[in-house]
């Protein structure tokens, strides 16, 4: 993915890469802000050379050298985002799509085209990912297991192992190195949407594919819909071929917004994570809350179960927005059993730890006291704490 840019790898901190990756050529072009290329097609007066470039793409999915050809083959603005995300995740390449589900679908289509339609997956996953696998909408067959059962679930036609860590919505974490070992030669795909490369880089732990709903933290402002897979160049070529054939391309304006979003990703994730850790601690000490889920690696997501009516909490917030999605600069709350995971069978949902009293909170950048004031009033009248016994006092 050189796109005419100097992609020589140097050792740079993540915060530096977030600001500069994908922009290495701007000074030489006399530019400071990345340009937005909205062209759908591009002129070419050398049809023989263009034929050779098309042949190369058709063979291995290689990005065409020289000027662009057609918007479905690739776009220079989107390519800048892909270059930057690959640098942040520590992979050779990245391929962007119109949504996270389009990205996951492309991965399944690549493996299915090789006759490897069986998928081993660990719950919980994002509800639509779960549904895509369970319903077999792309001809795939899924075996659900826990992390310890991955090796035993593999078959000769297994094309993919899929996990999400921290998981949506329970924030359960998985030992990725152990799962990589259990996978053997089968590629492991890790949905890294919640962690982002700021907190976790699955490729460094052996995962071959890293999936993001770029709609969330990578964009970070609730105004772009996108997905991306970070991977090695061989797999990237196959993904580009599927993207070309199916048309699941990312719009150039979305690519521009995502590249801009990456520049503040480390700052946003760390600031929101500090807010989330404080809210998790306060919720854990609150008698109206029965259980709090918060990852060991941190992050800006908190899940908690209430003793009372979770729907009343959703209806009661005033500062926090009751809405699906996550990863924006403002805080969002939703009831997974009603919305994001409604499409998952109720028994499967509960078995995965998604109880009917679970709420998922995406913590933003607001002042912590304002966030707590809103949550506190939405949770309702505090329950009376049990009287401390003499034994409890001594304890």
């Amino acid at each position: 993915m050189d796109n005419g840019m100097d992609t020589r790898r140097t050792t740079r901190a993540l915060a530096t890469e977030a600001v500069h990756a994908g922009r290495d050529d701007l000074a030489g072009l006399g530019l400071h802000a990345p340009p937005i290329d909205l062209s759908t097609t591009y002129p070419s007066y050398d049809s023989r050379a263009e034929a050779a470039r098309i042949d190369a793409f058709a063979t291995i999915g290689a990005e065409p050298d020289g000027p662009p050809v057609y918007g479905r083959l690739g776009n220079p603005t989107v390519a800048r985002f892909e270059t930057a995300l690959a640098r942040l995740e520590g992979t050779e390449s990245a391929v962007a799509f119109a949504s996270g589900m389009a990205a996951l679908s492309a991965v399944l289509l690549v493996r299915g085209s090789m006759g490897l339609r069986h998928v081993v997956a660990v719950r919980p996953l994002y509800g639509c990912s779960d549904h895509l696998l369970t319903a077999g909408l792309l001809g795939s067959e899924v075996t659900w297991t826990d992390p310890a059962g991955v090796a035993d679930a593999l078959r000769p036609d297994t094309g993919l192992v899929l996990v999400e860590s921290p998981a949506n919505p329970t924030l359960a974490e998985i030992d990725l190195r152990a799962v990589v070992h259990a996978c053997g030669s089968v590629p492991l795909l890790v949905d890294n949407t919640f962690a982002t490369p700021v907190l976790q880089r699955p490729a460094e732990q052996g995962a071959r594919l890293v999936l993001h709903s770029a709609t969330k933290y990578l964009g970070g402002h609730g105004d772009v819909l996108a997905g991306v897979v970070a991977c090695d160049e061989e797999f990237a070529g196959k993904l580009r071929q599927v993207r070309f054939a199916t048309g699941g391309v990312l719009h150039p304006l979305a690519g521009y917004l995502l590249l801009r979003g990456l520049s503040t990703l480390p700052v946003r994730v760390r600031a929101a994570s500090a807010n989330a850790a404080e809210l998790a601690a306060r919720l854990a000490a609150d008698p109206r809350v029965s259980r709090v889920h918060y990852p060991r690696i941190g992050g800006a997501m908190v899940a908690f179960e209430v003793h009372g009516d979770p729907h009343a909490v959703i209806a009661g917030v005033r500062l926090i927005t009751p809405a699906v999605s996550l990863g924006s600069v403002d805080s969002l709350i939703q009831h997974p059993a009603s919305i994001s995971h409604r499409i998952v069978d109720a028994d499967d949902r509960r078995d995965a730890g998604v109880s009917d009293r679970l709420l998922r909170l995406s913590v933003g950048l607001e002042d912590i006291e304002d966030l707590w004031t809103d949550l506190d009033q939405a949770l309702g009248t505090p329950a009376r704490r049990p009287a401390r016994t003499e034994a409890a006092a001594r304890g």
Side-chain angles (χ1 to χ4, degrees):
M1 278 187 302
D2 59 29
N3 313 303
M5 289 182 277
D6 180 3
T7 57
R8 289 173 293 181
R9 300 296 176 94
T10 57
T11 303
R12 302 194 295 200
L14 183 78
T16 304
E17 289 285 25
V19 173
H20 291 280
R23 301 167 175 84
D24 303 282
D25 65 328
L26 292 181
L29 296 173
L31 299 173
H32 183 245
I36 306 175
D37 187 331
L38 295 174
S39 297
T40 58
T41 191
Y42 300 85
S44 173
Y45 294 95
D46 188 345
S47 56
R48 290 187 179 87
E50 189 161 277
R53 294 194 295 151
I54 295 298
D55 287 346
F57 179 86
T59 303
I60 59 173
E63 289 188 305
D65 293 327
V69 177
Y70 184 58
R72 199 150 38 85
L73 272 165
N75 172 272
T77 305
V78 172
R80 288 182 180 277
F81 163 66
E82 293 172 330
T83 297
L85 192 276
R87 293 287 290 269
L88 292 181
E89 282 290 3
T91 59
E92 289 181 333
S93 301
V95 183
F97 294 85
S99 70
M101 291 308 301
L104 176 58
S105 297
V107 173
L108 294 174
L109 288 171
V110 166
R111 300 305 281 168
S113 70
M114 302 169 68
L116 303 171
R117 299 184 179 276
H118 180 242
V119 178
V120 175
V122 176
R123 279 190 173 117
L125 296 175
Y126 168 53
C128 288
S129 300
D130 189 308
H131 177 67
L132 180 65
L133 295 174
T134 302
L137 296 176
L138 297 178
S140 57
E141 178 187 351
V142 62
T143 297
W144 296 102
T145 185
D146 57 33
V150 167
D152 291 337
L154 299 178
R155 305 187 327 206
D157 63 337
T158 302
L160 189 71
V161 175
L162 174 58
V163 302
E164 184 174 4
S165 182
N168 186 354
T170 66
L171 306 177
E173 294 174 271
I174 292 174
D175 183 341
L176 297 182
R177 291 190 185 277
V179 175
V180 167
H181 178 74
C183 288
S185 61
V186 177
L188 172 65
L189 183 150
V190 177
D191 188 330
N192 204 35
T193 299
F194 278 19
T196 80
V198 177
L199 301 177
Q200 173 178 270
R201 288 155 58 105
E204 292 180 347
Q205 301 180 59
R208 187 176 179 189
L209 306 166
V210 183
L211 173 71
H212 285 273
S213 172
T215 307
K216 313 306 193 293
Y217 289 103
L218 303 189
H221 293 77
D223 56 7
V224 60
L225 196 68
V228 64
V229 179
C231 56
D232 57 69
E233 176 55 27
E234 179 184 0
F235 206 99
K238 295 181 173 66
L239 289 174
R240 292 186 199 106
Q241 291 176 313
V242 169
R243 183 176 64 182
F244 174 76
T246 61
V249 296
L250 184 65
H251 192 274
L253 180 57
Y256 171 83
L257 291 172
L258 287 167
L259 184 64
R260 187 174 68 171
L262 288 185
S263 64
T264 60
L265 178 67
V267 176
R268 288 187 286 103
V269 168
R270 288 167 182 149
S273 297
N275 274 351
E278 176 63 21
L279 288 179
R282 295 188 188 190
L283 289 167
D286 195 298
R288 297 165 293 183
V289 176
S290 60
R291 188 178 183 188
V292 175
H293 307 256
Y294 187 67
R296 288 172 296 176
I297 65 169
M301 300 297 299
V302 179
F304 60 99
E305 299 171 45
V306 295
H307 288 295
D309 181 3
H311 302 286
V313 179
I314 294 292
V317 292
R318 294 295 177 264
L319 174 66
I320 299 167
T321 302
V324 294
S325 200
L326 55 108
S328 184
V329 291
D330 60 320
S331 297
L332 308 175
I333 192 169
Q334 65 112 349
H335 182 240
S338 295
I339 305 181
S340 65
H341 289 70
R342 187 69 180 177
I343 201 168
V344 179
D345 178 80
D347 290 336
D348 291 337
R349 192 169 64 228
R350 296 186 189 106
D351 289 344
V354 186
S355 79
D356 290 340
R357 293 185 181 272
L358 182 75
L359 294 166
R360 192 192 73 188
L361 177 63
S362 171
V363 183
L365 302 180
E366 301 94 340
D367 181 85
I368 186 65
E369 296 304 332
D370 290 332
L371 288 172
W372 176 247
T373 296
D374 194 40
L375 266 182
D376 185 37
Q377 62 84 25
L379 285 167
T381 304
R384 178 175 294 179
R385 292 180 182 272
R388 296 178 74 202
T389 65
E390 184 179 347
R394 286 198 304 269

